[in-house]
Amino acid sequence: MKVILLLIALSIWLLADTTMSFKEFKKEALKNSNTINAQKLSIDIALQDADISQSYANPSIEAGKNRFKDDSGWQVGISQSIRLPGFGSDLKNLNNSKIELSKATFLQQKALFIRELESRYIDFVYQEQTLLLLKKELKLAKEIENISKNRLQNGVGTKANHLRASIETNSVETKFFSQKQNVNSYYFKLLELVSKTKSKPLEARFIYPVLEDFNSSKNSNPTINKMQKVKQLLKDEIEVANNGIKSIDILAGYEKEPDDKILSLGASITLPIFTTSKEISGLARIKQRQNAYKLEQLKISEKLQKKALLKSLSTLKEQYSSLLTQQEAQKNLLNLYQEGYKISKGSLLELIDVKNRLLQTSKDLLDTNRDANMQRIQLNYIQGTYNE
């Protein structure tokens, strides 16, 4: 007895070791995805751009030699552009806004990636569960075929009924092998998303149990977060554009002439007469108003979507519970019809009809499970659950 238990435990351990849970798969995907890693570098790019933008221009130096009638001289000069304090502060704020926007964009892209990853996984699970359902259907069809064969051999059945049962079995077999192709197709679509060419076999379990209670989050969704960063960026662009005079050039020079030495110090300012600061500021204000309208509409849309999803999920939960009750009753009914058909009671058509009704209920349960999971994924994105 101990040996049997040990073998069972070993089998379970080996099975667990050869499959990967979605939690493990998701962790690997977020670590190794080319899409995520490329997007993350956008933050480093924004940081580097900020350093480049805020660094001062290199000083310039000039030198020359003067030749007079009986003698010669020389001169040297240096100039350096100095940023005005107000403009420097506004420029720093603008660069900080660009960095924050790059971070918000990364988090949004990451959240979108997780949403797509979970959606593709649910598609894969649905196809895999459909395959398992067809496997059960094939088993039932073969059982009915065997019953009809025994009835025929015992002289209480007909060739027509046995042929009908055989055709039913062949039909399910055809669907079973076709579904295997679907499973492979969705599996490789999932691997493509996570930048992998192979993986351990995945567990085919729905992520979110339909009957499980869940709390509604008050976090903001990543798209709204990004648009709020855009709002701040446009505000800082206006502040930068409003700086008419952005810098002063400090000039210093030394000149040696035959009979004199000259030291000079001065400054030059570029007058904002023909600049486009006003136009740039005006354009940023238009974009600011445009972004405000989009942001307000997005908040309204997301609020309505959240309400609709919560209501739909509640309905799906009730539907799923009802289908479970119906499925249990149909299982009992199928057992009764099978037993009755074995002892020459009931017809083959009635038995097949009861079997098909049970399988349809199982299919409805599968569809409900998929729909509930897809809606949970969308709700998670909207309410900021994926803001990792």
Side-chain angles (χ1 to χ4, degrees), residues 27-142:
K27 185 178 179 180
E28 280 192 10
L30 291 173
K31 180 181 178 181
N32 300 323
S33 169
N34 292 328
T35 303
I36 293 296
N37 290 330
Q39 186 62 45
K40 192 174 184 179
L41 289 175
S42 297
I43 300 175
D44 295 331
I45 293 172
L47 289 168
Q48 290 293 327
D49 284 341
D51 289 340
I52 294 171
S53 174
Q54 289 176 219
S55 62
Y56 277 95
N58 291 320
S60 62
I61 188 170
E62 61 179 21
K65 185 176 182 180
N66 300 325
R67 183 164 185 82
F68 300 93
K69 183 176 181 181
D70 298 319
D71 207 343
S72 63
W74 54 272
Q75 61 183 11
V76 63
I78 188 171
S79 65
Q80 173 66 55
S81 179
I82 303 297
R83 194 177 292 135
L84 292 180
F87 173 70
S89 177
D90 291 340
L91 182 61
K92 184 177 181 181
N93 291 337
L94 176 60
N95 285 325
N96 287 338
S97 292
K98 289 180 179 179
I99 294 170
E100 289 302 312
L101 177 58
S102 69
K103 291 178 180 179
T105 301
F106 168 70
L107 290 177
Q108 183 208 25
Q109 292 302 312
K110 186 178 179 182
L112 287 170
F113 177 83
I114 294 173
R115 184 179 71 175
E116 180 66 15
L117 175 66
E118 291 193 355
S119 296
R120 289 199 190 188
Y121 176 72
I122 293 302
D123 282 335
F124 162 72
V125 170
Y126 178 77
Q127 297 300 326
E128 186 72 46
Q129 293 288 342
T130 300
L131 183 66
L132 291 176
L133 185 58
L134 284 169
K135 189 175 182 180
K136 292 177 182 179
E137 183 178 359
L138 183 58
K139 181 182 178 182
L140 286 173
K142 287 181 177 180

Side-chain angles (χ1 to χ4, degrees), residues 26 36 43 60 120 126 133 142 163 198 237 253 279 292 303 306 329 352 361 363 365 371:
K26 179 180 177 181
I36 293 296
I43 300 175
S60 62
R120 289 199 190 188
Y126 178 77
L133 185 58
K142 287 181 177 180
L163 181 59
K198 61 181 180 179
E237 282 185 353
E279 288 78 5
K303 188 175 182 179
K306 186 174 180 179
I352 292 175
T361 300
K363 180 68 164 53
L365 278 167
D371 293 344

Side-chain angles (χ1 to χ4, degrees), residues 3 6 14 32 45 50 57 81 108 131 146 154-155 158 209 228 237 246 265 267 273 276 289 310 315 335 350 376:
V3 174
L6 182 61
L14 288 173
N32 300 323
I45 293 172
S81 179
Q108 183 208 25
L131 183 66
N146 287 333
N154 293 329
T158 65
Q228 288 174 334
E237 282 185 353
K246 298 177 175 59
L265 184 65
I273 298 175
T276 58
R289 292 198 301 271
L310 289 171
T315 302
N335 289 333
E350 289 177 340
R376 276 291 299 274

